[in-house]
Amino acid sequence: MSETIDLVRDIIIILLLLSGTFFILSASIGVIRFPDVYTRLHAATKASTLGISGIMIGAFIFLYAEKGIISGKLILGIIFILLTAPLSAHMIGRAAHSSGIKPWAADGKTRDAYADSIEKNK
């Protein structure tokens, strides 16, 4: 019974590490391939937040299961990443918009919903 639990735990750890690595790799590719600052911000924050969190949760489970260590640094790191990455992306996106950078559109007709909302609320 204990061997089955160990195998399931190891599979969960492996899946967390592999999915985290996949998300970080896809974020890197997205930053290079996407056409404008807004889509690049999306790739850089959403996917990398998921990737880093997956790797850190996998490391936390591994340390707890193998060594019996509850790592406060990993818990704080996960919380820090989950709180700061979306906030920083939001602020960078607002700064880009206020500096006049328009969203990219494949057909060349950009519809800026944020600017429409600002005009509507004035």
Side-chain angles (χ1 to χ4, degrees):
M1 185 70 173
S2 176
E3 293 176 11
T4 305
I5 293 172
D6 290 343
L7 179 64
V8 170
R9 184 193 63 225
D10 289 344
I11 290 172
I12 290 171
I13 292 170
I14 289 169
L15 288 175
L16 282 168
L17 294 175
L18 286 176
S19 67
T21 304
F22 169 75
F23 281 116
I24 289 175
L25 178 66
S26 64
S28 301
I29 293 169
V31 167
I32 294 170
R33 298 284 303 178
F34 284 156
D36 70 339
V37 67
Y38 305 108
T39 54
R40 288 178 182 167
L41 262 174
H42 182 77
T45 55
K46 303 279 187 198
S48 65
T49 300
L50 272 173
I52 291 169
S53 296
I55 289 174
M56 291 177 96
I57 291 169
F60 179 82
I61 293 171
F62 174 78
L63 285 175
Y64 180 70
E66 294 294 322
K67 309 286 184 192
I69 298 171
I70 297 178
S71 176
K73 291 179 183 177
L74 282 173
I75 293 171
L76 287 174
I78 293 167
I79 292 170
F80 182 76
I81 290 296
L82 290 175
L83 290 177
T84 59
L87 181 68
S88 63
H90 175 73
M91 296 309 292
I92 293 170
R94 283 187 68 175
H97 188 273
S98 66
S99 68
I101 299 174
K102 298 291 181 191
W104 179 83
D107 60 359
K109 299 176 185 175
T110 61
R111 182 175 179 278
D112 194 352
Y114 183 59
D116 295 344
S117 174
I118 291 173
E119 288 297 320
K120 179 181 164 186
N121 290 330
K122 282 186 177 180

